[in-house]
Amino acid sequence: MTSLDRPVVRTAYQQSIADYWDREKDPVNLRLGEIDGLYHHHYGLGAYDPAVLDTPPETRDRAIIAEMHRLETAQADVLLDHLGPIKPRDRLLDAGCGRGGTSVMAHRRFGCRVDGVSLSRQQVDFANAQAAHLGVDSHVAYHQRNMLDTGFESGAFAGIWNNESTMYVDLTELFAEHARQLAPGGRYVTITGCYNDVTGGRSRAVSQIDQHYICNIHARGDYFKALAVNGFVPINVVDLTAAAIPYWELRAKSSVATGIEDPFLTAYREGSFHYLLIAADRV
């Protein structure tokens, strides 16, 4: 029996994740994607243009939304920058793809095939429809699969990434599956929020983030332990925390704020939470 013969969702927790994202229609994800057809499920990087806050009231919110989308797209560009020299003949995997924006960006940049996986049927259907709308569906496809056991062939991918999706799974299981799927020398990249081991466990603000997204944020050190066990050698580690704060400050002033902005800002500023990029090679 192959992994594709087994149910995609295997546990009650995974079902709760699938149910959450099947129901999710949050304007903070949808309104931003309407700008250019790239729908992201991650946060932004870099300084925002303060001029958007001085925009006349009738256009101010639209200007803030557009600026937030620019910062989220910039975040995806930073991730793709760390995949290394990908060629058009290569194949990439977007693990925990959401509505698929980063996959589209990867194809446009490298010209290669990109597959995305999500537990959510709603996300997969939306992403495939959007790929067709953008005219990239011959090279970009999304699948309802479990990223811990995708069913893709071993050694098929030159690069794999998780963009803010590792907090939903066991890291050792995840990196074992990624190691199986990556060709030798392939590159893995993640951008993730992780709690600071030095502070001694999850802070109150980090626990609020967990509760909001029904996720399980890992300690920073857990990433490096699980990567090492599965034959990955880090080549770049970048602390993006300071670069992430302006996005949350701007989002808190927007009409699409959800109430989770304060815990993020608190956690980042107090040092209990880090926004980290890790790039590692499969050896």
Side-chain angles (χ1 to χ4, degrees):
M1 178 180 282
T2 69
S3 63
L4 295 182
D5 295 320
R6 299 197 297 270
V8 172
V9 177
R10 314 249 171 94
T11 67
Y13 174 62
Q14 290 177 359
Q15 187 63 58
S16 71
I17 296 167
D19 291 343
Y20 176 91
W21 290 111
D22 279 343
R23 293 191 301 264
E24 184 271 334
K25 292 182 173 58
D26 199 318
V28 76
N29 294 317
L30 295 174
R31 284 191 59 194
L32 276 64
E34 290 167 0
I35 292 171
D36 60 3
L38 294 175
Y39 288 81
H40 299 306
H41 278 273
H42 57 254
Y43 311 126
L45 284 177
Y48 65 83
D49 181 357
V52 299
L53 300 177
D54 297 325
T55 304
E58 61 272 19
T59 58
R60 182 175 182 268
D61 190 62
R62 188 160 63 250
I64 291 174
I65 294 293
E67 186 67 354
M68 286 173 58
H69 185 65
R70 182 184 71 81
L71 297 179
E72 291 189 4
T73 300
Q75 187 264 24
D77 274 324
V78 168
L79 186 153
L80 297 177
D81 288 344
H82 286 80
L83 279 173
I86 301 298
K87 301 176 179 62
R89 66 174 181 269
D90 289 331
R91 189 177 176 192
L92 300 175
L93 176 63
D94 184 351
C97 61
R99 288 185 172 93
T102 307
S103 298
V104 174
M105 290 176 62
H107 167 67
R108 287 175 173 174
R109 179 186 290 213
F110 302 117
C112 63
R113 176 175 175 83
V114 186
D115 291 281
V117 297
S118 171
L119 288 177
S120 167
R121 182 78 255 168
Q122 187 272 342
Q123 285 187 339
V124 167
D125 289 345
F126 184 101
N128 278 320
Q130 196 60 22
H133 175 71
L134 295 172
V136 297
D137 52 317
S138 61
H139 288 83
V140 180
Y142 304 94
H143 317 267
Q144 188 185 22
R145 299 191 187 184
N146 192 317
M147 65 174 150
L148 298 179
D149 185 9
T150 65
F152 290 124
E153 57 270 31
S154 297
F157 297 95
I160 298 175
W161 70 85
N162 287 96
N163 198 353
E164 296 183 12
S165 56
T166 54
M167 61 286 297
Y168 289 103
V169 294
D170 178 88
L171 292 178
T172 301
E173 290 183 60
L174 177 69
F175 296 155
E177 176 69 346
H178 287 347
R180 181 190 69 78
Q181 296 171 109
L182 273 173
R187 175 68 54 82
Y188 171 69
V189 182
T190 184
I191 295 182
T192 187
C194 50
Y195 74 80
N196 186 355
D197 314 61
V198 177
T199 59
R202 293 177 181 82
S203 66
R204 180 173 182 271
V206 170
S207 295
Q208 288 174 313
I209 297 168
D210 266 346
Q211 183 175 15
H212 183 86
Y213 291 109
I214 54 171
C215 62
N216 183 32
I217 292 167
H218 303 289
R220 179 180 56 190
D222 290 345
Y223 283 87
F224 299 99
K225 294 172 187 173
L227 285 167
V229 164
N230 288 289
F232 285 96
V233 177
I235 188 168
N236 279 302
V237 179
V238 185
D239 183 359
L240 299 170
T241 306
I245 289 175
Y247 167 85
W248 288 99
E249 292 174 334
L250 182 63
R251 178 167 152 169
K253 302 175 190 298
S254 75
S255 65
V256 295
T258 63
I260 199 60
E261 292 77 17
D262 283 345
F264 269 94
L265 287 167
T266 297
Y268 283 147
R269 289 168 177 162
E270 73 186 7
S272 66
F273 193 49
H274 298 296
Y275 199 52
L276 206 66
L277 180 145
I278 304 169
D281 289 338
R282 166 83 163 89
V283 297

